[in-house]
Amino acid sequence: MTILKTYARLWTEDLDQALPLLEELTGEQPHLRLAFHEIDLAAIGNFLVIAGPAEERARYGHASATVVVDDLDALQATLESARATITTPATSGPTGWFLYARHTDGAEIEYVEWTPELVGRIIRP
């Protein structure tokens, strides 16, 4: 299992208001933008911007980062052998598969295995 990308999570009510500064800071345009349930997401540089009403953002606020891996099954085996707790089991999402895990030190992370199309477009263009 390999970590392909790690995103720091940024929280905002308005995605369009948050992006111009991040575009200037990173020198990039968002490489991923989508809606998921009641929130909007944009990935730019090494930031994942999560936007929407506070009550909706709170549903995802327990995770401190989003980590893209190449093999979610292998990751889950590694997490379980390290006694991490899977708090949200592997679930299909708009970018592939994801799960949430709390490490034994209390840190909670969202882990994602992207679709081959996304890996090819973003990680290995």
Side-chain angles (χ1 to χ4, degrees):
M1 186 279 310
T2 302
I3 292 175
L4 303 175
K5 189 158 185 64
T6 301
Y7 290 105
R9 289 174 155 216
L10 300 178
W11 307 92
T12 183
E13 290 185 10
D14 186 332
L15 190 59
D16 291 323
Q17 185 178 14
L19 287 176
L21 176 58
L22 293 171
E23 290 169 356
E24 184 176 341
L25 291 171
T26 64
E28 299 179 21
Q29 294 294 307
H31 52 264
L32 184 65
R33 190 163 178 171
L34 59 105
F36 183 72
H37 297 277
E38 302 300 318
I39 60 170
D40 293 314
L41 301 134
I44 181 169
N46 291 317
F47 297 105
L48 179 65
V49 186
I50 302 168
E55 62 276 6
E56 290 300 321
R57 293 190 323 258
R59 296 177 57 198
Y60 307 97
H62 54 281
S64 58
T66 297
V67 177
V68 180
V69 299
D70 68 343
D71 186 335
L72 202 63
D73 291 333
L75 167 80
Q76 186 164 340
T78 299
L79 291 169
E80 289 170 353
S81 72
R83 297 176 306 157
T85 302
I86 307 302
T87 58
T88 300
T91 304
S92 176
T95 61
W97 287 88
F98 68 93
L99 64 79
Y100 283 79
R102 185 172 26 265
H103 298 185
T104 57
D105 65 359
E108 190 158 354
I109 308 292
E110 176 193 31
Y111 291 98
V112 181
E113 180 181 336
W114 276 348
T115 64
E117 182 276 326
L118 281 178
V119 171
R121 183 170 61 82
I122 297 169
I123 303 298
R124 299 184 183 108

